[in-house]
Amino acid sequence: MTLTATAKVEGPSGCFPRAENRCLVASNEPMNSEYRLMVVNAPETGLSAYAGQFFHLLCPATATEQPFLRRPMSIYRIDRENGQLGFLYKVTGKGTCALASLAPGDELNATGPLGVGFSIPEGTRHVAMIARGVGLATLAPLARMATVNGAKITAILSARAPEFLMSRDELEAAGAAVIEVNDVAGNSSPQDVTNRLRDIHEKTPIDFMATCGSNRLLSLTRELCSEWNIPGQVAVEAFMGCGLGMCFACVVPVRDAEGKEEMKRVCYDGPVFGVNEVTTW
Amino acid sequence: MTLTATAKVEGPSGCFPRAENRCLVASNEPMNSEYRLMVVNAPETGLSAYAGQFFHLLCPATATEQPFLRRPMSIYRIDRENGQLGFLYKVTGKGTCALASLAPGDELNATGPLGVGFSIPEGTRHVAMIARGVGLATLAPLARMATVNGAKITAILSARAPEFLMSRDELEAAGAAVIEVNDVAGNSSPQDVTNRLRDIHEKTPIDFMATCGSNRLLSLTRELCSEWNIPGQVAVEAFMGCGLGMCFACVVPVRDAEGKEEMKRVCYDGPVFGVNEVTTW
Amino acid sequence: MVDLSVTVGGVRMANPIMPASGSIAEGIADVVDLGKLGAIVLKTITPDIRQGVKPPRVVEYTDATLFSIGIPSKGPDYLLNHTVPFFARFGPPVIASISADTAEDFGNLAKYISDPRIAAIEANISCPNLRAHGRAFGMDPVAAAEVIKAMKGNTHLPVWAKLTPNVGDIAEIARAVEDAGADAVVTANAILGMAINAETMMPRLGNVVGGLTGPAVKPVILRMVNQCAEAVKIPVIGCGGISTGEDIIEYMLAGAAAVQIGTMNFVHTAAMEQSIDWVADYCTRKNIARVAELTGALQLPVDQKSEQRDAVAL
Amino acid sequence: MVDLSVTVGGVRMANPIMPASGSIAEGIADVVDLGKLGAIVLKTITPDIRQGVKPPRVVEYTDATLFSIGIPSKGPDYLLNHTVPFFARFGPPVIASISADTAEDFGNLAKYISDPRIAAIEANISCPNLRAHGRAFGMDPVAAAEVIKAMKGNTHLPVWAKLTPNVGDIAEIARAVEDAGADAVVTANAILGMAINAETMMPRLGNVVGGLTGPAVKPVILRMVNQCAEAVKIPVIGCGGISTGEDIIEYMLAGAAAVQIGTMNFVHTAAMEQSIDWVADYCTRKNIARVAELTGALQLPVDQKSEQRDAVAL
Ligand SMILES: Cc1cc2nc3c(=O)[nH]c(=O)nc-3n(C[C@H](O)[C@H](O)[C@H](O)COP(=O)(O)OP(=O)(O)OC[C@H]3O[C@@H](n4cnc5c(N)ncnc54)[C@H](O)[C@@H]3O)c2cc1C
Ligand SMILES: Cc1cc2nc3c(=O)[nH]c(=O)nc-3n(C[C@H](O)[C@H](O)[C@H](O)COP(=O)(O)OP(=O)(O)OC[C@H]3O[C@@H](n4cnc5c(N)ncnc54)[C@H](O)[C@@H]3O)c2cc1C
Ligand SMILES: Cc1cc2nc3c(=O)[nH]c(=O)nc-3n(C[C@H](O)[C@H](O)[C@H](O)COP(=O)(O)O)c2cc1C
Ligand SMILES: Cc1cc2nc3c(=O)[nH]c(=O)nc-3n(C[C@H](O)[C@H](O)[C@H](O)COP(=O)(O)O)c2cc1C
Ligand code: FES
Ligand code: FES
């Protein structure tokens, strides 16, 4: 048995587990030159989100951008006490530029929670998560999920340069041991990270791994998982149309245990898959 | 000979008498519950406008409105000393709502000056103008044009109710004698206005009339002009595509002296026509 | 109380609003009360199992999308054992949609899925006809009619012909399928389009071409609905570019008996429910007792009737 | 320095950018330096004098317009005595555009206006063919070919065939006009559309239907340009939905040898000039010596070539 869908445990009991949540922006501040954190006050349904799920955000029209489709954003912070959700996003193009224009008090229409998130197998003692870039946003709530389940968590955060490292505080508050690596310091190569993980595993055996945000980190996670014979999960990204499993735009090839490939929907069958299920993305 | 196109006298001498003027909004304030006055700092080409001409305004995209085409607005104020243009506009739909969102310091892209405006025949001694609603915006600069040409000007301003009357100061500053009538007071019927004009004409003969903004005012102007055998002009409105005489969307039937009808472009052949040229609009 | 019910191509519906094929799946039931819809139209299935085309599968425009999915299909057994039971429990009539490589295969598939839980079968004839070098069945009146005949000969369920807009004269195709026995036409599927990335010099879609859908196509499809409604006696179901109740009224005035909403379900899951309410309010406000009265109620000024209607004169 | 020049359908141009027929008139010379354009395409004229259709003549969408003008025309004498001299003085080649009710009239008009100041004649075959109940010449390969043959038999000037997009298979029409001797095809005119006002229950256009133009039509016309370029050897001129230099690159990659900009001239008079600069910068940045190299340079991943290209599979 695995512990999945926190929503099913803590979420609202109505028949509509997902909704177009009309949230109110509480803050929307830059974290560094590329990333912003948007915190919103969300209705009950929105707050039933758990790690690895995402919301499909309606990006407002601005003088320069009129995004038509919604944009998927992982849930970065779930603060049920204060009724708030947080999204950590990189300002990339049309949609995220438009999101960046939202001011406190503005409405954010957020459909969700969507997708199948992380599920930490029962009895897990030590979770290792490895995130880079946007992947951080996706993995952050996993720390609290692990802690709640009585597991220890080690988080390796990777970035181009130290100034792009984020969320140490967020993660430590959730009980994670945080290790930061970056390209400038030269300690973020797959080999370096693998060595670090071997050291950690030596001291406190890792029995579950999670990753997101880089193909190279996925490869090394997959290798270590198979070496140590433990489960591992990855959150996958894809261009989305609907976010609700309806349009089949977001498919990736997923391999079952027998190696048979099938196109699966990142938004509905994922975004979290087993590290061995995902081939390329 | 008639005195037309002030632009040709005072305008810039370059080969491009019209331009996409990049103006800066100086102010954009409500005048009453329906109308706003936008004053912008305009480049030289824009300032060559004269009474009866218009600009084709690019309306900014907002969260709720994305107007695609430009919107035509008569030039309401030409302040060459301060390098400013003024537009008096009624907030009606998409485009004008979007205009209303502009704040001081924002850019307004205004193509113009466009069209053929009023031309006061040389030797004119007494101009009578009759305006209602939006027509006021179009006729206001005529007062200064008349004054500059040494003519006296009487302006009859008509409105639904006294609170919708505007521009008395603007007109008086330009040297006009202003008479206000409105539906609530019950002195704005065509009959009442005609009687007023007859009285005025009796004292100081009117030798040119101009009108805009109401079919009924056009009819009475046409009748008085033919009765007194004086010229009269009217500024006409039409839905526009390009504003530059290129798309032929803005046509109205125009009758020549022999009564032959031809479709003419309001934006290029007009918007000002002789009162006898225009049939319906 | 306004009577919103309509009977369209053998199917009685509580209101004229349904999803377009391929625009909903099980996931929508987590968000929307499907019981309120006029009908529930399922995604097209094929006789075989298909994975669809290579991603990327979507390109976005200001108010349109270009999708190329390639009709992934789990086949007829999955439809009957999973999809139909899942949707049938909500109440509204369930409309299946099928596609196949040949007219005979359309017929066989229609027979195979003829099931009392299905209220009608939509024939997606926008898909490639293997016998005509991959041109859509719906581009040719003869091929389109053959599909409908093959289906009508194999099922007692009503058959709706979903036309492709990628034709010169859609009325001709509508007449052909009417003559072949179709119970309604759905006008229309997506408009064939292409997107290129100037920087990479490559197509933006894995499949190079895709179907343009969403608000931007409304003027084109509205014109086609009007042309079909003038050409045939069977009901016309409007589909393409509809996002609001106001759009629905426009389609009905142009001649549609009912409508389908597609892409807008991806952006606003509430679009269908909200537009049902809007249509009801409109009828109340306009004193229209039965929504069905709106069908074809467009007012043409007398002198407009004779003008150029079949060609662009700019 | 990038070589922007192209030779298209018998006309040498300094760059591949020109206005679409009907999108400029004398007024633009007050704002834009016409000397910079690749060519100057004039509005369509007819043999007779016409006033056009009843207003309203334009409806606006988020990024498109629906115009119905009806080709007001002052006839060929006005063209030769006023329009041509006005535009010829700016330098770029002047392209006339003609339309008529029958193929013979196209031929006669072409002959009448064959004048050394005109570099080529565009045949606007989107207009109604009186012999085919008002359906456009361009909807039928035979009628389209007849028009081109009639013109080619009557003038030594190059003839460009401006196709209508309101067809199922535009490549077929392109091949027909190529066989008939056309020197280039222009792909394409406006897409037939309709607009209804739900409140008044009336059409929004005086002529009921009109032509959809502007950015929203780009994916559809881009696909048609690609289909035409694959079908014929004569140059294809892309027209429809172009507003920026980036759009022009996309059209050239899809197979266009040159492009025409229409509706965008109404919104941004600077659109053509700015896009010439953008294209030059793009070529410099990409190390492309001659803009003509871009024509048809779209990169197709190998495995994309075999996929479904002629039908929508969603
Ligand atoms: C499940 C999921 C969770 C995500 N979580 C986060 C997050 O927490 N923080 C964050 O910064 N980003 C996240 N992303 C990526 C984010 O959705 C994209 O960066 C965003 O859509 C880019 O939109 P844009 O308009 O700013 O960029 P543009 O590049 O202008 O987008 C253009 C088009 O490409 C699509 N697109 C571009 N990049 C992506 C992408 N990576 N994934 C999906 N569609 C894309 C957009 O939808 C749009 O249609 C997530 C993606 C997925 C699928
Ligand atoms: C030469 C000229 C001068 C004008 N001067 C003024 C002025 O000084 N002050 C003022 O308040 N108004 C003026 N108008 C009218 C003004 O242009 C319209 O009120 C405005 O275009 C409405 O746009 P909207 O988007 O707010 O309204 P909407 O009703 O949302 O417009 C919808 C569509 O209708 C068109 N449209 C609607 N009404 C008109 C109209 N009367 N004329 C042209 N197109 C219209 C718009 O272009 C648009 O395409 C003038 C019109 C013309 C032709
Ligand atoms: C992602 C997607 C998938 C679709 N799948 C199908 C399908 O399986 N069968 C079908 O007949 N039409 C399909 N369509 C077309 C829609 O049913 C509809 O005809 C089209 O989207 C136009 O409507 P719209 O503008 O409201 O989206 C699909 C459209 C989209 C966008
Ligand atoms: C107002 C208007 C008038 C037009 N007049 C003509 C015309 O006279 N002859 C012609 O061949 N095309 C005419 N067209 C079509 C354009 O030349 C062009 O094919 C179409 O607008 C698509 O290009 P666009 O999307 O860049 O506008 C006209 C288009 C518009 C909008
Ligand atoms: S985004 Fe539509 S199915 Fe995943
Ligand atoms: S608005 Fe285009 S000609 Fe007047």
Side-chain angles (χ1 to χ4, degrees):
Chain A
M1 200 205 103
T2 58
L3 182 94
T4 40
T6 314
K8 286 178 194 149
V9 183
E10 306 181 30
S13 57
C15 3
F16 299 108
R18 317 185 195 261
E20 267 193 37
N21 301 283
R22 304 181 67 166
C23 306
L24 277 189
V25 177
S27 63
N28 187 14
E29 295 294 322
M31 299 291 280
N32 56 41
S33 61
E34 293 183 341
Y35 284 84
R36 279 180 172 256
L37 172 65
M38 176 153 54
V39 178
V40 301
N41 295 309
E44 196 66 3
T45 310
L47 295 169
S48 69
Y50 67 94
Q53 286 194 302
F54 70 98
F55 284 79
H56 218 192
L57 307 185
L58 195 68
C59 307
T62 67
T64 50
E65 319 290 350
Q66 292 95 45
F68 177 61
L69 293 171
R70 290 170 180 258
R71 296 291 189 270
M73 284 297 155
S74 294
I75 183 66
Y76 169 67
R77 184 188 291 169
I78 310 145
D79 179 351
R80 297 205 182 97
E81 268 155 53
N82 295 305
Q84 290 188 325
L85 295 175
F87 301 99
L88 181 70
Y89 62 101
K90 184 167 172 182
V91 180
T92 316
K94 272 204 216 207
T96 46
C97 284
L99 287 180
S101 77
L102 287 171
D106 286 350
E107 187 178 302
L108 173 75
N109 182 315
T111 301
L114 298 173
V116 178
F118 290 101
S119 54
I120 303 178
E122 204 168 359
T124 296
R125 307 290 307 277
H126 185 191
V127 174
M129 64 178 241
I130 326 168
R132 187 174 165 99
V134 158
L136 199 71
T138 309
L139 289 179
L142 189 64
R144 199 168 298 271
M145 195 193 229
T147 311
V148 167
N149 286 295
K152 187 174 156 24
I153 181 147
T154 303
I156 302 192
L157 311 183
S158 171
R160 285 205 320 277
E163 61 269 30
F164 295 116
L165 282 162
M166 291 167 296
S167 310
R168 171 178 272 266
D169 298 351
E170 188 92 8
L171 287 162
E172 284 178 343
V178 176
I179 297 165
E180 296 184 344
V181 298
N182 67 77
D183 304 355
V184 174
N187 57 358
S188 60
S189 74
Q191 197 46 57
D192 287 334
V193 173
T194 302
N195 291 342
R196 284 273 189 128
L197 281 163
R198 282 192 209 285
D199 290 350
I200 295 163
H201 185 64
E202 200 111 310
K203 290 186 199 114
T204 321
I206 295 166
D207 48 7
F208 179 73
M209 288 183 74
T211 187
C212 179
S214 143
N215 253 319
R216 297 196 308 173
L217 294 181
L218 169 58
S219 298
L220 81 84
T221 304
R222 192 187 285 132
E223 278 156 31
L224 289 175
C225 283
S226 93
E227 186 181 319
W228 301 333
N229 196 22
I230 59 167
Q233 295 183 338
V234 55
V236 171
E237 285 194 10
F239 287 8
M240 289 191 177
C242 69
L244 264 168
M246 312 193 293
C247 74
F248 289 81
C250 64
V251 294
V252 290
V254 168
R255 208 166 31 199
D256 66 15
E258 285 91 52
K260 225 190 84 210
E261 255 188 31
E262 200 185 337
M263 291 301 232
K264 293 233 173 186
R265 291 161 291 181
V266 167
C267 72
Y268 195 70
D269 305 309
V272 174
F273 294 96
V275 284
N276 293 318
E277 290 182 308
V278 180
T279 51
T280 48
W281 56 281
Chain B
M1 204 203 100
T2 57
L3 182 95
T4 39
T6 314
K8 285 176 194 146
V9 184
E10 305 180 31
S13 57
C15 1
F16 299 109
R18 316 185 196 263
E20 267 192 39
N21 301 282
R22 305 181 66 167
C23 306
L24 278 188
V25 176
S27 62
N28 188 13
E29 296 294 322
M31 299 291 280
N32 55 40
S33 60
E34 294 183 340
Y35 283 84
R36 277 179 174 258
L37 173 63
M38 176 154 55
V39 178
V40 301
N41 295 310
E44 197 68 3
T45 310
L47 295 169
S48 69
Y50 66 93
Q53 285 192 305
F54 70 98
F55 284 80
H56 218 193
L57 308 185
L58 195 68
C59 307
T62 67
T64 50
E65 318 289 348
Q66 291 93 46
F68 177 61
L69 294 170
R70 290 170 179 258
R71 298 291 190 267
M73 284 297 156
S74 295
I75 183 68
Y76 170 68
R77 184 189 292 170
I78 310 146
D79 179 351
R80 297 204 181 97
E81 268 154 53
N82 296 304
Q84 289 187 324
L85 296 174
F87 300 100
L88 182 70
Y89 63 100
K90 186 168 171 181
V91 180
T92 315
K94 271 205 215 207
T96 45
C97 283
L99 287 180
S101 77
L102 287 170
D106 286 349
E107 188 178 301
L108 174 76
N109 182 316
T111 301
L114 297 173
V116 178
F118 290 101
S119 54
I120 303 178
E122 203 167 2
T124 297
R125 308 290 307 278
H126 185 191
V127 175
M129 64 178 239
I130 326 167
R132 188 174 164 98
V134 158
L136 200 72
T138 309
L139 289 178
L142 190 65
R144 199 167 301 270
M145 194 193 228
T147 311
V148 166
N149 286 295
K152 186 175 161 14
I153 182 147
T154 303
I156 302 192
L157 311 183
S158 171
R160 285 205 319 275
E163 61 270 31
F164 295 115
L165 282 162
M166 290 167 296
S167 312
R168 170 178 274 261
D169 298 350
E170 188 92 8
L171 287 161
E172 285 179 341
V178 176
I179 296 164
E180 296 183 343
V181 299
N182 66 76
D183 303 356
V184 174
N187 58 358
S188 60
S189 75
Q191 197 48 56
D192 286 333
V193 173
T194 303
N195 291 342
R196 284 275 188 123
L197 283 162
R198 283 192 209 285
D199 288 349
I200 295 162
H201 184 64
E202 199 110 312
K203 291 185 200 113
T204 321
I206 294 165
D207 48 8
F208 179 73
M209 287 184 75
T211 187
C212 179
S214 143
N215 253 321
R216 297 196 308 172
L217 294 181
L218 168 59
S219 297
L220 83 82
T221 305
R222 192 187 283 133
E223 277 156 30
L224 290 176
C225 283
S226 93
E227 184 180 321
W228 299 335
N229 196 23
I230 59 167
Q233 296 182 337
V234 56
V236 171
E237 285 193 10
F239 287 8
M240 289 189 177
C242 69
L244 264 167
M246 312 195 291
C247 73
F248 289 81
C250 63
V251 295
V252 291
V254 168
R255 206 166 33 199
D256 66 15
E258 286 92 52
K260 224 189 82 208
E261 254 188 31
E262 200 184 339
M263 290 300 230
K264 294 233 174 185
R265 292 161 292 182
V266 168
C267 71
Y268 195 72
D269 305 310
V272 173
F273 293 97
V275 285
N276 292 318
E277 289 182 309
V278 181
T279 52
T280 46
W281 56 283
Chain C
M1 268 305 287
V2 181
D3 176 5
L4 288 181
S5 70
V6 292
T7 302
V8 177
V11 181
R12 187 169 165 80
M13 308 194 260
N15 63 65
I17 292 144
M18 45 192 152
S21 177
S23 76
I24 63 157
E26 287 80 348
I28 199 160
D30 286 350
V31 190
V32 169
D33 182 355
L34 293 174
K36 292 194 179 157
L37 302 181
I40 298 175
V41 184
L42 306 180
K43 181 160 180 75
T44 302
I45 60 148
T46 54
D48 50 338
I49 291 171
R50 298 184 183 185
Q51 297 288 339
V53 299
K54 222 179 61 164
R57 291 180 168 185
V58 57
V59 176
E60 177 196 54
Y61 298 95
T62 309
D63 59 357
T65 43
L66 192 69
F67 276 95
S68 189
I69 305 294
I71 315 199
S73 165
K74 292 189 170 162
D77 291 324
Y78 190 90
L79 180 89
L80 294 172
N81 299 332
H82 294 94
T83 320
V84 168
F86 181 91
F87 287 105
R89 71 194 151 107
F90 295 104
V94 171
I95 318 295
S97 167
I98 65 169
S99 174
D101 291 339
T102 64
E104 299 84 78
D105 288 350
F106 266 98
N108 294 335
L109 185 52
K111 182 175 205 162
Y112 194 91
I113 65 161
S114 290
D115 181 294
R117 296 163 302 171
I118 295 178
I121 307 180
E122 204 175 89
N124 177 358
I125 55 171
S126 297
C127 56
N129 177 354
L130 276 202
R131 305 240 169 96
H133 313 288
R135 274 175 53 131
F137 292 94
M139 287 174 73
D140 173 24
V142 176
E146 276 169 10
V147 167
I148 301 306
K149 272 185 215 143
M151 288 175 66
K152 288 298 286 185
N154 275 290
T155 182
H156 292 293
L157 293 176
V159 171
W160 296 358
K162 181 157 176 191
L163 308 183
T164 169
N166 302 300
V167 295
D169 185 358
I170 198 161
E172 183 190 9
I173 314 287
R175 276 189 297 262
V177 296
E178 177 179 48
D179 291 346
D183 298 280
V185 295
V186 182
T187 307
N189 214 303
I191 306 179
L192 198 60
M194 182 175 182
I196 292 174
N197 183 330
E199 291 309 319
T200 63
M201 298 184 157
M202 308 239 296
R204 286 189 190 270
L205 287 175
N207 189 45
V208 186
V209 299
L212 192 73
T213 62
V217 307
K218 189 176 78 167
V220 179
I221 306 296
L222 187 63
R223 178 262 298 179
M224 291 185 171
V225 164
N226 189 242
Q227 289 175 317
C228 289
E230 287 185 358
V232 297
K233 294 205 187 60
I234 53 174
V236 177
I237 298 164
C239 175
I242 301 178
S243 45
T244 64
E246 192 172 355
D247 295 337
I248 293 169
I249 303 296
E250 293 170 25
Y251 275 73
M252 295 192 73
L253 292 171
V259 297
Q260 298 182 345
I261 295 185
T263 306
M264 204 37 65
N265 292 319
F266 303 159
V267 182
H268 285 291
T269 43
M272 292 186 294
E273 278 181 78
Q274 283 174 358
S275 61
I276 296 171
D277 295 342
W278 200 95
V279 168
D281 289 350
Y282 174 92
C283 291
T284 308
R285 182 153 60 78
K286 293 267 184 184
N287 231 334
I288 292 164
R290 297 173 46 249
V291 75
E293 292 168 31
L294 287 169
T295 299
L298 180 68
Q299 310 287 318
L300 288 186
V302 185
D303 60 343
Q304 289 180 328
K305 294 222 169 126
S306 62
E307 299 228 12
Q308 308 156 342
R309 293 281 300 280
D310 295 317
V312 174
L314 280 165
Chain D
M1 267 304 289
V2 181
D3 176 6
L4 289 180
S5 71
V6 291
T7 302
V8 178
V11 181
R12 188 172 162 80
M13 307 195 258
N15 63 65
I17 293 143
M18 43 192 153
S21 177
S23 75
I24 63 156
E26 286 81 349
I28 199 162
D30 286 350
V31 190
V32 168
D33 182 355
L34 293 174
K36 293 195 179 154
L37 302 181
I40 299 174
V41 184
L42 306 180
K43 182 163 178 74
T44 302
I45 62 150
T46 53
D48 50 337
I49 291 171
R50 298 183 183 185
Q51 297 288 338
V53 299
K54 223 179 60 165
R57 290 180 169 186
V58 59
V59 176
E60 179 196 49
Y61 298 94
T62 309
D63 58 357
T65 43
L66 192 69
F67 276 95
S68 191
I69 305 293
I71 315 201
S73 165
K74 292 188 169 162
D77 291 325
Y78 190 89
L79 179 88
L80 295 172
N81 300 332
H82 294 93
T83 320
V84 169
F86 181 90
F87 287 105
R89 71 195 151 106
F90 294 105
V94 171
I95 319 294
S97 167
I98 65 169
S99 174
D101 291 339
T102 64
E104 300 84 77
D105 288 350
F106 266 98
N108 294 334
L109 185 51
K111 181 174 204 164
Y112 195 91
I113 64 160
S114 291
D115 181 295
R117 296 163 303 171
I118 295 178
I121 306 179
E122 202 175 271
N124 177 359
I125 55 172
S126 298
C127 57
N129 178 354
L130 276 202
R131 305 241 169 95
H133 314 287
R135 274 175 53 131
F137 291 95
M139 288 175 72
D140 173 25
V142 176
E146 276 170 10
V147 167
I148 302 305
K149 273 185 213 142
M151 288 174 67
K152 288 299 287 187
N154 276 289
T155 182
H156 292 292
L157 292 176
V159 171
W160 297 356
K162 179 156 178 190
L163 308 183
T164 169
N166 303 300
V167 294
D169 183 359
I170 198 161
E172 181 190 10
I173 314 287
R175 275 188 296 264
V177 296
E178 178 180 48
D179 290 346
D183 298 279
V185 295
V186 182
T187 307
N189 215 304
I191 306 179
L192 198 60
M194 182 174 181
I196 292 173
N197 183 330
E199 290 309 318
T200 62
M201 297 184 158
M202 308 239 296
R204 286 189 190 270
L205 288 174
N207 189 44
V208 186
V209 298
L212 191 72
T213 62
V217 307
K218 189 177 77 167
V220 179
I221 306 296
L222 188 63
R223 178 261 299 181
M224 292 187 170
V225 165
N226 189 242
Q227 289 176 317
C228 289
E230 287 185 358
V232 297
K233 293 203 188 61
I234 52 175
V236 177
I237 297 163
C239 176
I242 300 178
S243 45
T244 64
E246 192 172 356
D247 295 337
I248 293 169
I249 303 295
E250 293 170 24
Y251 274 74
M252 294 192 75
L253 292 171
V259 298
Q260 298 183 345
I261 295 184
T263 306
M264 204 37 64
N265 292 319
F266 302 159
V267 182
H268 285 291
T269 43
M272 292 187 292
E273 278 181 80
Q274 282 174 0
S275 60
I276 296 170
D277 294 343
W278 201 96
V279 167
D281 290 350
Y282 173 93
C283 291
T284 308
R285 182 154 60 78
K286 293 267 182 186
N287 231 335
I288 292 164
R290 296 172 47 246
V291 76
E293 293 166 31
L294 287 169
T295 299
L298 181 67
Q299 309 287 318
L300 287 186
V302 186
D303 61 339
Q304 288 181 331
K305 293 221 168 124
S306 62
E307 300 225 14
Q308 309 156 342
R309 293 283 300 280
D310 295 318
V312 174
L314 280 166

